Amino acid sequence: MQYAACMARATVLPMRTAVPWQTAIRARRRALGLTQQELANRAGLSLRTVVAIEHGEANPRLSVLRACLDALGLVISLAEGP
């Protein structure tokens, strides 16, 4: 997927919500009505990786996390705090 197209349909979750990214991924997957296997297929990841990410049992590389987020239409945004 092209980055611009992804950004156009992305949902931004501010980090200040203090929602762990694992929880955000699971919530977004469920909101989209996807199974963990469907998310794995979309992201090009194994089911085992998706399960480990959602349960906080993985410390994924940024490329793996980005693949997961891209598949869900989510982005990571860094901003300077108050």
Side-chain angles (χ1 to χ4, degrees), residues 17 66 71-72:
T17 62
R66 182 168 178 210
L72 295 170

Side-chain angles (χ1 to χ4, degrees), residues 2-77:
Q2 296 290 333
Y3 182 73
C6 180
M7 291 300 294
R9 66 177 186 84
T11 300
V12 177
L13 297 175
M15 294 300 289
R16 291 185 189 159
T17 62
V19 174
W21 54 268
Q22 298 93 332
T23 302
I25 288 172
R26 180 182 294 148
R28 177 68 170 172
R29 176 183 60 78
R30 288 178 175 169
L32 292 173
L34 298 174
T35 65
Q36 289 174 324
Q37 182 64 64
E38 290 169 330
L39 173 55
N41 293 344
R42 284 184 176 199
L45 304 171
S46 70
L47 173 59
R48 183 177 181 171
T49 298
V50 170
V51 169
I53 288 171
E54 286 192 0
H55 287 109
E57 298 168 353
N59 187 15
R61 294 181 312 239
L62 186 55
S63 62
V64 171
L65 184 56
R66 182 168 178 210
C68 192
L69 296 175
D70 285 350
L72 295 170
L74 296 173
V75 296
I76 296 174
S77 177

